[in-house]
């Protein structure tokens, strides 16, 4: 069961941690690899448009394209 809070938009990392998912379980849920999940959580790689839509759908809108872009930009500013 996916926990939801429609009032709060969050970074993918925050959502991932709130769900208590392992990288393997998240990878299975999103149809990708644990390494890709890790890269999304730290903002190292931007999700493709297709994956962005999938993330928005699975997180029930808690993580949006804007949130994903924000994580990506935050990772770049920390470098």
């Amino acid at each position: 069961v996916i926990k939801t809070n429609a009032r709060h938009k969050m970074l993918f990392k925050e959502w991932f941690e709130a769900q208590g998912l392992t990288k393997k379980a998240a990878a299975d849920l999103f149809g990708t690899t644990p390494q890709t999940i890790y890269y999304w959580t730290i903002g190292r790689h931007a999700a493709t448009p297709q994956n962005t839509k999938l993330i928005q759908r699975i997180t029930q809108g808690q993580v949006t394209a804007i949130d994903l872009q924000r994580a990506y930009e935050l990772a770049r500013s920390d470098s």
Side-chain angles (χ1 to χ4, degrees), residues 10-52:
M10 61 180 59
L11 298 176
F12 184 72
K13 179 179 182 177
E14 295 168 335
W15 182 87
F16 173 83
E17 291 172 350
Q19 301 310 308
L21 296 171
T22 65
K23 288 178 186 68
K24 172 72 171 111
D28 291 345
L29 183 63
F30 289 97
T32 191
T33 66
Q35 183 174 15
T36 296
I37 295 296
Y38 173 71
Y39 288 158
W40 288 346
T41 61
I42 65 169
R44 183 170 178 182
H45 289 171
T48 65
Q50 297 87 349
N51 284 330
T52 297

Side-chain angles (χ1 to χ4, degrees), residues 8 28 46 59 66 78-79:
H8 179 58
D28 291 345
T59 66
I66 292 168
D78 290 342
S79 302

